Amino acid sequence: MSTETTTPGQVRTASAPPVLGGLGLFTVLLGAALPLIDFFIVNVALPTIGHDLAASESVLELIVSGYGLAYAVLLVLGGRLGDLFGRRRLFLGGMAAFGLTSLACGLAPTAWTLVAARVAQGAASAAMLPQVLATIQAATSGQRRAKAMGLYGATAGLSMVAGQILGGVLVAATPLSFLFGAGTGWRSVFLVNVPVVLVGLFLAARAVPETRSQNPEPVDGPGTVLLAASLLTLLAPLTEGRSAGWPLWTWLSLAAFPFVAAAFYAVERGADRRGRTPLVPPSLFRLVSLRRGLVMIVPFSIGFSGFMFVIAVALQRGAGLGPVRAGLALAPMAVVFFFASLAGPRLVAKYGTRVVTAGAGIQAVGVGLIALAAWRSWPDLGLVELLPGAAIAGAGQALQLPVIFRIVLSEVPTVRAGVGSGVMVTTQQSALALGVATLGTLFLSLTPGLGMRDALVTTLLVQLVGVALTGLLSLRLPRTVG
């Protein structure tokens, strides 16, 4: 019988399907955590970055949005390249590039150098992250896939909260001050990635199987360009508009967005009809589970990222907390999210997707309690005051995000796992960027007139509208998850 060597010390028959073992799953989940942690870890580091590098508010915005834009724009292409050239290969290459760009961020001598390194870091994340879900889809099945998808959702949600906590601890600890001087603890939030990446590369080379589409599809050049243009015309003005004073280019860009998006859809549909392979096959959206799940990801992610940005600003600038206390104030949310997400698969097996509806209701109670705490206790707002609301909100989020991820990919064919993963993560990442742009802009715009307390409470009430929308949309989901 012929054999095929997949990794050192691991041999399987040529006809046997690839299998993602426990160590391999841990490794790809580590790769999933890194980009999401880095999206949020910078929130609490921005004040020290601005002081150390003499960066203006608009440049600080670019440090956040440059990463998010590059990440969102290239995710679908990263998924397609994994289908074409091998997902393990793209995962290894993306992780290595993520480590190098993290090193460049940590050593950046100027603010603009840091912006450039962050854009490159976002591009590296876009090569790595789609391979995680695609590998899970291709190398697991049945209950193992359900468990792996649940752990992916738990990892994603936990990473978004833990990133902010970890950022606060690293900034305050300033372990590199003896090299770079006082006030340079922000460099640690990037340099900490380097040893983690080295461990990840070692484990991935040994434990992650190679998978790819059996019928590789070439890259769709026109579709790639038009998708990138669509996302840029929407996200660039929304993320940079407020700090730049809403110049003419922001309005022209927003006006161009629907036309560019329509051109992208027309090109993709035309390619599909001619038997070519579009970047985002329109036929994917005939899958009810994918279509309705993607719609739910948008309000959920906008609310999640908007809340994380706003609470970081409010606790540091308004309540006067240092980065460690500001980060640890969200620890109850992270802890409860983790444990509640572990119970998610069993609850879904028993109650179906109504678990998502219940999660939205629980999250609404938590956000309401946070708003009440801000109203009654301001400016004495910290861990104790936020604990009940943060814990309840974390439980509600945990019952939504992992389940929605499973639903979106439940009917996607294995041969298009990379494309499906790329589309889902692009939707999530774009919504995360929109959350900072919309809720963040609302909060910062209201603060001068209302004061920070009332601006925070108002923003949280607006977030509650998004939570309610997520709950209503969940009623349209298929009752069971495949």
Side-chain angles (χ1 to χ4, degrees):
M1 179 181 294
S2 63
T3 61
E4 175 186 323
T5 303
T6 55
T7 60
Q10 179 186 3
V11 179
R12 62 177 175 85
T13 63
S15 59
V19 176
L20 185 66
L23 184 60
L25 178 61
F26 170 82
T27 306
V28 294
L29 292 180
L30 178 65
L34 286 172
L36 288 169
I37 287 174
D38 258 57
F39 184 82
F40 288 91
I41 201 170
V42 179
N43 282 348
V44 292
L46 288 177
T48 53
I49 293 174
H51 181 269
D52 185 45
L53 298 182
S56 66
E57 185 177 344
S58 60
V59 175
L60 290 177
E61 293 264 2
L62 280 172
I63 291 170
V64 177
S65 62
Y67 174 86
L69 285 172
Y71 186 20
V73 164
L74 297 172
L75 274 165
V76 177
L77 177 62
R80 171 58 59 83
L81 291 175
D83 288 348
L84 185 61
F85 296 111
R87 294 156 189 148
R88 177 174 176 268
R89 181 180 299 178
L90 262 290
F91 181 80
L92 286 167
M95 181 172 276
F98 186 86
L100 291 173
T101 52
S102 296
L103 181 64
C105 288
L107 300 179
T110 67
W112 284 105
T113 307
L114 179 56
V115 170
R118 283 283 284 172
V119 171
Q121 190 185 36
S125 298
M128 174 172 60
L129 188 59
Q131 318 317 325
V132 175
L133 282 168
T135 299
I136 290 173
Q137 285 287 98
T140 62
S141 60
Q143 278 301 112
R144 292 188 68 250
R145 180 181 294 176
K147 181 180 179 181
M149 287 299 298
L151 288 172
Y152 174 86
T155 300
L158 187 62
S159 298
M160 291 188 277
V161 182
Q164 217 142 295
I165 299 172
L166 180 61
V169 172
L170 289 173
V171 168
T174 60
L176 300 176
S177 58
F178 70 97
L179 285 177
F180 298 103
T184 58
W186 63 268
R187 297 184 184 275
S188 302
V189 306
F190 300 114
L191 295 177
V192 71
N193 292 331
V194 177
V196 177
V197 163
L198 291 175
V199 172
L201 288 171
F202 173 77
L203 294 177
R206 298 180 61 85
V208 177
E210 180 64 283
T211 64
R212 72 182 72 200
S213 174
Q214 294 301 313
N215 300 297
E217 301 167 333
V219 173
D220 171 17
T224 300
V225 172
L226 285 170
L227 176 62
S230 300
L231 292 171
L232 284 171
T233 54
L234 175 65
L235 297 177
L238 288 177
T239 53
E240 290 301 307
R242 186 195 62 83
S243 60
W246 296 105
L248 179 61
W249 72 264
T250 58
W251 299 108
L252 293 175
S253 181
L254 287 172
F257 166 69
F259 298 100
V260 181
F264 168 69
Y265 178 74
V267 166
E268 298 298 273
R269 187 173 61 175
D272 216 9
R273 286 176 174 175
R274 291 190 295 271
R276 297 176 184 174
T277 305
L279 181 71
V280 180
S283 55
L284 271 182
F285 294 93
R286 296 177 193 145
L287 301 175
V288 173
S289 56
L290 179 136
R291 189 172 65 248
R292 294 182 179 176
L294 288 179
V295 170
M296 283 193 64
I297 284 176
V298 174
F300 180 90
S301 298
I302 286 175
F304 201 123
S305 64
F307 170 80
M308 297 300 290
F309 174 80
V310 167
I311 203 70
V313 174
L315 291 178
Q316 291 191 82
R317 295 186 190 173
L321 302 185
V324 174
R325 290 179 64 198
L328 290 179
L330 298 175
M333 180 179 288
V335 172
V336 175
F337 186 104
F338 177 73
F339 286 107
S341 64
L342 295 180
R346 292 193 298 273
L347 292 173
V348 171
K350 187 173 183 179
Y351 300 108
T353 57
R354 290 298 176 261
V355 169
V356 179
T357 311
I362 294 170
Q363 184 189 0
V365 173
V367 173
L369 288 174
I370 293 171
L372 181 62
W375 178 262
R376 296 178 59 181
S377 304
W378 189 266
D380 301 319
L381 199 62
L383 173 63
V384 174
E385 292 77 16
L386 291 175
L387 192 152
I392 293 172
Q397 291 164 345
L399 296 179
Q400 295 174 81
L401 190 64
V403 183
I404 295 171
F405 283 163
R406 278 183 61 190
I407 290 167
V408 170
L409 296 178
S410 60
E411 297 179 303
V412 175
T414 300
V415 294
R416 285 183 164 170
V419 178
S421 303
V423 169
M424 186 184 79
V425 181
T426 297
T427 303
Q428 181 199 21
Q429 183 59 38
S430 300
L432 290 175
L434 282 173
V436 176
T438 53
L439 292 181
T441 297
L442 174 66
F443 171 71
L444 294 173
S445 300
L446 292 175
T447 297
L450 296 181
M452 194 163 285
R453 183 195 73 167
D454 290 354
L456 173 60
V457 172
T458 302
T459 306
L460 289 172
L461 293 177
V462 172
Q463 186 195 352
L464 273 176
V465 176
V467 176
L469 177 60
T470 306
L472 290 173
L473 290 171
S474 70
L475 298 175
R476 299 181 69 244
L477 292 173
R479 288 301 298 267
T480 59
V481 184

